[in-house]
Amino acid sequence: MNEDKNLVLDASPELGEIVIAPEVIEIIIGIAASKVDGVYGMRGTFANSVTELLGRAAHGKGVYLTIDETGIKVDLYSYMTYGVSVPKVAMEIQERVKQQVLFMTDVQLTEVNVHVVAVVPEKVELPDIEELFGNDEEENE
């Protein structure tokens, strides 16, 4: 990985420096955002889907960091649960992400942009056909 993409948090001549990779911040953001009530999930890529099929969790999916001279900007792509207030959930995501990143890494985010990709309806159980119509084979015999 390229050294200049890493974030240097603290550098002291006695102890050395503390360096955090951007992937670590992406994972923190992904977990914090997915724990908000009303978030169904995060949008991932094909590689994330393959990783999850192999049994590993892809916590950083749907999170994209931009690091420039003004600071760290985050773009989150999420699915919301049907029936929630989208603006309230989006604001809760912004607050929770900023708090968790600041608490865990002492890094201040300049922007947290929430992109709602879709609203996912709740799953409706399909009725059991045998319960609805009975077992016709028993009646025919």
Side-chain angles (χ1 to χ4, degrees), residues 41-93:
M42 305 297 285
R43 184 183 80 178
T45 61
F46 178 72
N48 294 134
S49 300
V50 171
T51 300
E52 287 181 341
L53 283 174
L54 296 174
R56 296 192 61 207
H59 294 295
K61 70 179 184 178
V63 179
Y64 302 95
L65 291 180
T66 305
I67 303 171
D68 58 13
E69 59 276 346
T70 61
I72 301 174
K73 299 174 185 173
V74 179
D75 287 300
L76 290 163
Y77 294 87
S78 64
Y79 301 112
M80 300 284 176
T81 306
Y82 179 79
V84 299
S85 172
V86 174
K88 286 183 183 178
V89 173
M91 286 189 290
E92 177 68 23
I93 290 171

Side-chain angles (χ1 to χ4, degrees), residues 25-130:
I25 295 175
E26 288 176 359
I27 291 171
I28 293 169
I29 292 169
I31 292 171
S34 64
K35 298 287 184 189
V36 174
D37 288 335
V39 175
Y40 181 82
M42 305 297 285
R43 184 183 80 178
T45 61
F46 178 72
N48 294 134
S49 300
V50 171
T51 300
E52 287 181 341
L53 283 174
L54 296 174
R56 296 192 61 207
H59 294 295
K61 70 179 184 178
V63 179
Y64 302 95
L65 291 180
T66 305
I67 303 171
D68 58 13
E69 59 276 346
T70 61
I72 301 174
K73 299 174 185 173
V74 179
D75 287 300
L76 290 163
Y77 294 87
S78 64
Y79 301 112
M80 300 284 176
T81 306
Y82 179 79
V84 299
S85 172
V86 174
K88 286 183 183 178
V89 173
M91 286 189 290
E92 177 68 23
I93 290 171
Q94 289 175 323
E95 287 299 317
R96 177 114 20 124
V97 164
K98 280 187 172 188
Q99 288 173 356
Q100 285 298 314
V101 171
L102 183 63
F103 173 72
M104 294 182 76
T105 64
D106 203 29
V107 171
Q108 186 74 35
L109 300 175
T110 56
E111 288 182 18
V112 178
N113 303 311
V114 178
H115 304 271
V116 179
V117 179
V119 175
V120 179
E122 62 184 53
K123 291 185 179 184
V124 178
E125 281 190 39
L126 296 175
D128 187 17
I129 294 177
E130 289 184 15

